[in-house]
Amino acid sequence: MKLRRVGVVVALVAVHLMSAPDCPGQAAATAGGWRQRRVRSEDIKAGPRPLIESPVIASPAALEGYLDRLEQETASRVRQGEFEHLVHYALQSRWFTRRFPLEPALSAREYVEAMPAGVRERFLAGDPSLSPRPEWLPRRVEERIGDLLRRLQEPRRESDERWRYFSRLVASDKRPPGELLRSEYTRTMRFLYRKEFLSREVATATQADFVAALYRTRAHSTDTQLEAGYGIDVALASLGARPRIERVLLVGPGHDLAPRTGFLDALPPQSLQPWTLADSLIRHGLADLSRLQIHAVDINPRVVDHLRRLGERPGPIRLDLVTGLAERNGVGFTADFRDYFRRLGSGIGVAVARELPPSLAGHLGKQVEVDSRVRRVLTVGQLNIIAERYDPSPRFDLIVVTNVFPYFETEVELPLAVANLAAMMAPGGRLIHNELGMMGESVFSAVGLPIEQVRTLLIASAPDRPLYDGVVIHRKQ
């Protein structure tokens, strides 16, 4: 099992919080002095050959039209992703119901396999003329949706952060709440069934391509887990203490609003990766806290707003560092991951005594109070790395991108994104990502980012599907 945390695009750097521009085509100045702008035709000429020769963006007018369409598509995929999180919340949360949580992938199998065979094929093919019947919804799903709808009608102030957000999200849609929830459940289950079960019917040699094609059109997710920082930590440790890293771009920090797996209702939503990245850099002697600048960017305004509000909030920042996986049913973390967790947080703060609630039994967990100085190294902005870049180049010493590239089609979107990242890097800077399937992509070498290292990591053993992650390090020539 590959660790999956796909967020949309975020970046951190400088000493003051930055604001996103009013529109994607408008340049916005940052505290670092560089400006956010759209890709231009002259940028394409320095990109990979497939990009230069693409008829989709062959002229300035064609490029502008493409970027306009991309902007609309991105907004749609972000909103669809928010509704996917709502569905995962409706299936798993205990906040609004006492019913037992439902695992989304298993719910997808129950839903799809109850359909008549001919209808099932049309449904999985995405037949737009097909309207699945409400009676096909599993009884336990209908019960949870009913509980959620009843709670929405109660005129009370809610203290739960997730509930407040999802209440506003439901209210923002023109569809009646019941129709909205059932419709979005149907769409979400179609993707999950295709990914988790239909993919197994494909020949083994093409399974990875089948799943990759699904991700290139799926809704944008901000899922994240603590385990996602382990591979980055291993990659940074391998660099030794020679490179001094001062300016960092983090693409896709994540926000665990309501992930499909590892949903922890007992903890408030968090964006952990900015903090775990800073911790790794400091612990491994790669950065000095007085000079470190981490800049995070995301296309999802919810993620940007969360990090911005966190930076502005008075008082100390306390992180709940809890693994998404629990050690039970034969699952066990490796000794190396346990050692990573033991040291995690020591570079940016101090551990605070905290007893985990019974619902988190089996998880590794602790709470860390972040040093007030660390807050000042983080900034946040809204940036789409396919369509935008900072100019003049911020000359980032390090760019970290985890679980973002799979959302991009490979003909234009991935080459544009890689070219934009390369243009913002300092000579000798590193790009670290966790997509082993992309390590041979010529687009990286074409913009002067050959591979320096590749690693596969075992995070946890399990009887059926061990949890792996991997890291690829590119160095700019």
Side-chain angles (χ1 to χ4, degrees):
M1 180 170 58
K2 170 110 168 28
L3 182 64
R4 179 55 54 191
R5 202 289 304 153
V6 187
V8 216
V9 167
V10 189
L12 310 159
V13 170
V15 185
H16 299 91
L17 294 174
M18 59 185 259
S19 299
D22 294 331
C23 67
Q26 176 183 343
T30 70
W34 17 274
R35 302 180 69 83
Q36 178 179 337
R37 67 164 175 82
R38 261 188 171 185
V39 174
R40 299 169 183 160
S41 290
E42 54 264 35
D43 302 325
I44 307 299
K45 297 175 183 177
R49 180 167 296 279
L51 197 61
I52 298 172
E53 297 175 348
S54 172
V56 178
I57 52 176
S59 68
L63 176 61
E64 280 301 303
Y66 170 81
L67 295 177
D68 287 341
R69 294 190 300 274
L70 178 68
E71 177 187 342
Q72 295 173 2
E73 179 185 328
T74 298
S76 175
R77 292 175 73 182
V78 167
R79 185 162 177 81
Q80 287 178 356
E82 299 302 272
F83 286 123
E84 283 196 8
H85 290 305
L86 171 62
V87 170
H88 298 156
Y89 178 81
L91 294 178
Q92 299 178 90
S93 177
R94 293 180 182 269
W95 175 257
F96 62 88
T97 183
R98 295 182 179 180
R99 301 184 195 277
F100 196 76
L102 305 177
E103 204 288 316
L106 297 181
S107 183
R109 183 169 66 180
E110 182 180 7
Y111 175 50
V112 174
E113 295 183 357
M115 296 178 181
V119 174
R120 185 187 314 145
E121 293 174 0
R122 292 171 56 200
F123 172 73
L124 293 175
D127 186 344
S129 66
L130 178 66
S131 299
R133 298 174 184 174
E135 59 264 28
W136 292 343
L137 262 69
R139 176 182 55 82
R140 294 178 298 172
V141 173
E142 192 60 50
E143 289 172 344
R144 277 188 148 262
I145 288 177
D147 290 347
L148 191 151
L149 292 173
R150 282 188 288 274
R151 188 65 178 265
L152 283 171
Q153 295 172 354
E154 297 178 9
R156 61 165 72 183
R157 285 184 63 85
E158 301 288 0
S159 59
D160 183 78
E161 183 178 346
R162 288 184 177 90
W163 179 263
R164 291 198 306 270
Y165 177 77
F166 287 126
S167 298
R168 294 194 300 270
L169 181 65
V170 171
S172 72
D173 198 86
K174 296 180 180 179
R175 291 169 288 180
E179 177 186 334
L180 163 66
L181 285 164
R182 294 179 181 91
S183 174
E184 294 302 329
Y185 171 82
T186 293
R187 183 179 58 80
T188 302
M189 295 302 103
R190 179 188 290 116
F191 170 81
L192 274 183
Y193 190 87
R194 285 169 167 170
K195 175 180 179 289
E196 298 294 338
F197 303 105
L198 192 61
S199 63
R200 301 178 188 179
E201 301 176 12
V202 178
T204 303
T206 58
Q207 282 182 356
D209 291 338
F210 180 86
V211 174
L214 294 178
Y215 270 93
R216 288 174 196 139
T217 58
R218 76 160 293 193
H220 284 305
S221 167
T222 64
D223 285 3
T224 186
Q225 290 182 355
L226 181 72
E227 290 87 328
Y230 174 56
I232 302 303
D233 185 81
V234 172
L236 292 174
S238 73
L239 299 181
R242 286 180 298 170
R244 298 302 297 174
I245 296 174
E246 296 184 358
R247 188 168 288 184
V248 181
L249 178 69
L250 173 61
V251 177
H255 186 228
D256 62 349
L257 182 68
R260 180 180 75 82
T261 59
F263 179 78
L264 302 178
D265 218 358
L267 301 177
Q270 300 179 103
S271 291
L272 293 175
Q273 199 170 18
W275 313 104
T276 59
L277 175 57
D279 180 71
S280 293
L281 287 167
I282 294 168
R283 277 192 295 103
H284 293 307
L286 297 172
D288 185 329
L289 186 57
S290 65
R291 300 180 65 86
L292 178 62
Q293 301 175 316
I294 300 182
H295 185 67
V297 296
D298 205 294
I299 55 175
N300 190 320
R302 166 173 54 81
V303 179
V304 175
D305 183 59
H306 169 79
L307 287 170
R308 181 172 290 128
R309 286 187 289 106
L310 189 65
E312 295 172 344
R313 190 177 68 192
I317 294 175
R318 289 192 174 184
L319 305 176
D320 288 299
L321 303 179
V322 179
T323 57
L325 276 182
E327 293 190 300
R328 51 176 175 255
N329 301 324
V331 174
F333 290 109
T334 64
D336 287 340
F337 181 83
R338 283 184 166 276
D339 184 58
Y340 164 71
F341 184 82
R342 178 182 58 81
R343 294 178 287 112
L344 183 63
S346 60
I348 59 171
V350 295
V352 179
R354 184 183 190 275
E355 185 176 346
L356 293 180
S359 62
L360 296 180
H363 295 263
L364 301 183
K366 59 184 172 182
Q367 191 174 76
V368 169
E369 184 170 306
V370 177
D371 187 314
S372 60
R373 295 174 297 169
V374 177
R375 181 198 298 257
R376 295 194 295 270
V377 309
L378 302 181
T379 58
V380 59
Q382 191 164 339
L383 184 79
N384 186 331
I385 60 167
I386 301 174
E388 298 169 308
R389 63 174 61 178
Y390 290 123
D391 188 23
S393 170
R395 298 175 68 82
F396 291 113
D397 303 308
L398 173 67
I399 296 180
V400 174
V401 187
T402 55
N403 299 321
V404 171
F405 291 146
Y407 284 90
F408 304 159
E409 57 84 15
T410 57
E411 297 300 317
V412 177
E413 293 178 357
L414 181 62
L416 274 176
V418 173
N420 283 330
L421 294 176
M424 295 188 287
M425 295 175 66
R430 265 83 172 195
L431 166 65
I432 299 178
H433 64 86
N434 65 338
E435 301 303 332
L436 298 184
M438 290 183 177
M439 63 185 183
E441 290 284 350
S442 61
V443 293
F444 292 97
S445 296
V447 293
L449 293 175
I451 293 175
E452 185 176 52
Q453 290 188 48
V454 179
R455 294 196 177 199
T456 300
L457 309 165
L458 176 63
I459 294 176
S461 58
D464 53 351
R465 300 178 69 187
L467 180 64
Y468 289 94
D469 201 7
V471 286
V472 183
I473 304 176
H474 301 263
R475 185 171 186 177
K476 185 171 181 179
Q477 295 178 334

